Each structure stands twice: as structure tokens, then as C-alpha cells.
Amino acid sequence: MESELACPIAPVVDLVFSRWTTPILWTLNEHGRLRFVELERRIGTITPKVLTQRLRQMERDGLVTRTYHPEVPPRVEYEISELGRSLAPVFHGLAEWSKRNLAKVDEARSRYDGTN
Amino acid sequence: MESELACPIAPVVDLVFSRWTTPILWTLNEHGRLRFVELERRIGTITPKVLTQRLRQMERDGLVTRTYHPEVPPRVEYEISELGRSLAPVFHGLAEWSKRNLAKVDEARSRYDGTN
DNA sequence: CAGCATCCACGAAGATACTG
DNA sequence: CAGTATCTTCGTGGATGCTG
């Protein structure tokens, strides 16, 4: 998808920051093991189809684990894996940067738009 | 774009990891001030239209600066801003994670696909 | 409940050609 | 050189309905 030619982190960006993966990972990291609907509700605006798609991909990539309980009604639980958890420092770094610099982005936008 | 309800870093993810911003920022961080075509060539697969779009947005967000030299032929130079440079630790963290864990992702995929 | 199947809509991105 | 203009393609995502 992205050009790796000039950017060594392109693969990991594709992996971790493609759409919905961050909220999913963050939620699972905060609340531990969750059922499908719980995850769906906590994220709020995602549709079940898309949530399923992303979870499958993340399961394949080893970022989350899926546990199926053959009951009636069926119960499926998702959990962040060790590999997924190892991204925590990166996320923390982003949160820090956010706290410190996101306001500057807003300022820059106002300046650019001339709506000082 | 992304749901912020469950994920505090969603805004910064949108800002920094939307398409092409990472390669652009990385390239400008590596090579300093660059002209439009130089940037285009280093990234390799981006089209001028898209490159222009992304650069405009990043300029608006305060991540890059644009300098126009009214000459013939015209010369425009792009440079990473202080704000953009402040992302370096985050990028470095990603590169580190990449070196350590990207192979595990490949393993997980092989396992999932059953192509052990 | 946890999904899959299907259809549809939209915007981002690519290809191409053209200007000051 | 540094873009802009236009057209087309494509993928993501939304909506809906249906199963074990």
C-alpha cells in the first residue's frame, strides 16, 4: 500500500495505524478481554461488519486473540495479545505528543486559514 | 474520521498517519530542505497531484514549511518544521518496534494461514 | 449473540494531459 | 519546475437482511 522506498516505518504504520486498529487495540488494552458486542459498543460508531473485518486481520497479524465458546447463545471473546501489548510504549508516546503539541496544530491551522 | 470515543490518540493518528504523511515527513527529516521534484522522486510512487494535496495539508497543520522563490523556472522548497521534528522520537519508537517485532507478525500470519 | 452475504455510496487516490 | 484540471478507478465503509 504505502511506499517503503523512502520510509522504513511504512510497514509498521500499515500494520498498526490502518483504520480502526488503534481504537480497537486501545480499548482491548484498557478493558482486557471483551465480547464482540461490548467492543462494538465501546467503540461506538463501528459497524459489525467492519469490526469483524478488522478483528480478523488483527488476529491474523497476531495482535489480538479470539476465543470462541460453543454455547447457546454463542460467546466470543477478544483479548489483546502480548505482541499487541508491546505497542503500549508507542501509544503512550503518541498520547504524550498529543498532550504537548496538538494545540499547536490548531494554532497553525488558524494561522493558515487567516482566522486569527 | 475516526471514533475518538474510546481512543484518546485518534486525533494524532489522523494527523500523523494518514496516507503519505509518514513517508513525506520521514524524507524531509532525513534530507532536510527539498524541492518539489526531489521529494517526488525520493518517495517514488506518489503522483504530483497527491503530493501537492498532502503537502498543503501538512503545511496547514504546521508540520512542514513551504518556501516559494519567484524565479524562472520557479523553485519551491519544503522543509520539516520544528513541530514536525518533534515527532522524531515517536518515529524512532516505531522503527525500534519494527526491528524487534515485525518478524513475529510474519510468523503469526504464517501460523494463521496454515502455511507453516 | 456473533457473525456473513449482498448491495450500494462516497471520497481518496491514480492516470493523464496541460499551464504559468 | 511546480503545480492544476479532469477523468476514472478503487477500496472502505454504511445499510440491510439473514443464519447457527
Side-chain angles (χ1 to χ4, degrees):
Chain A
M1 309 274 162
E2 296 219 14
S3 130
E4 283 91 38
L5 301 180
C7 186
I9 63 172
V12 70
V13 169
D14 269 0
L15 182 76
V16 180
F17 299 104
S18 52
R19 189 145 165 120
W20 294 115
T21 54
T22 322
I24 292 172
L25 233 39
W26 186 280
T27 304
L28 287 178
N29 193 51
E30 289 286 292
H31 301 93
R33 170 175 296 220
L34 286 179
R35 304 183 60 165
F36 187 84
V37 269
E38 294 173 330
L39 201 44
E40 188 181 356
R41 274 195 281 263
R42 287 199 182 275
I43 295 178
T45 58
I46 197 170
T47 61
K49 187 192 75 169
V50 175
L51 180 55
T52 302
Q53 286 174 346
R54 309 317 312 201
L55 283 171
R56 284 285 179 283
Q57 182 180 341
M58 294 167 71
E59 189 193 357
R60 188 175 105 100
D61 293 338
L63 296 177
V64 304
T65 58
R66 190 185 106 115
T67 315
Y68 176 72
H69 302 90
E71 308 167 356
V72 181
R75 188 162 52 97
V76 176
E77 289 180 316
Y78 291 93
E79 198 174 5
I80 190 169
S81 70
E82 199 57 39
L83 186 59
R85 226 180 282 278
S86 72
L87 283 163
V90 173
F91 283 18
H92 182 261
L94 273 173
E96 274 303 306
W97 189 93
S98 207
K99 271 194 290 187
R100 273 201 203 108
N101 299 302
L102 216 51
K104 297 181 186 172
V105 174
D106 282 334
E107 292 168 25
R109 285 176 180 167
S110 298
R111 233 176 295 123
Y112 187 92
D113 296 343
T115 55
N116 321 12
Chain B
M1 310 264 162
E2 295 220 13
S3 130
E4 282 92 37
L5 302 181
C7 186
I9 63 172
V12 69
V13 169
D14 269 359
L15 182 76
V16 180
F17 299 104
S18 52
R19 188 146 165 114
W20 293 117
T21 54
T22 321
I24 293 172
L25 233 39
W26 186 280
T27 304
L28 287 178
N29 192 52
E30 289 285 291
H31 302 92
R33 171 174 296 222
L34 286 179
R35 305 182 60 163
F36 187 86
V37 269
E38 294 173 328
L39 202 42
E40 188 181 355
R41 273 195 282 264
R42 288 199 182 276
I43 295 178
T45 58
I46 197 170
T47 61
K49 187 193 73 167
V50 175
L51 180 55
T52 302
Q53 287 174 346
R54 308 316 313 200
L55 282 171
R56 287 282 181 283
Q57 181 181 340
M58 293 167 73
E59 190 194 356
R60 187 175 106 98
D61 293 339
L63 297 176
V64 305
T65 59
R66 191 185 106 115
T67 315
Y68 176 73
H69 301 90
E71 308 168 358
V72 181
R75 188 161 53 96
V76 176
E77 291 180 313
Y78 291 92
E79 197 174 7
I80 190 169
S81 70
E82 199 57 40
L83 187 58
R85 227 181 280 279
S86 72
L87 283 164
V90 172
F91 283 17
H92 181 260
L94 273 172
E96 274 303 306
W97 190 93
S98 206
K99 269 194 291 187
R100 274 201 203 107
N101 299 301
L102 216 52
K104 297 180 186 173
V105 174
D106 282 334
E107 292 168 26
R109 285 176 180 166
S110 299
R111 235 175 294 123
Y112 187 93
D113 296 342
T115 55
N116 320 10

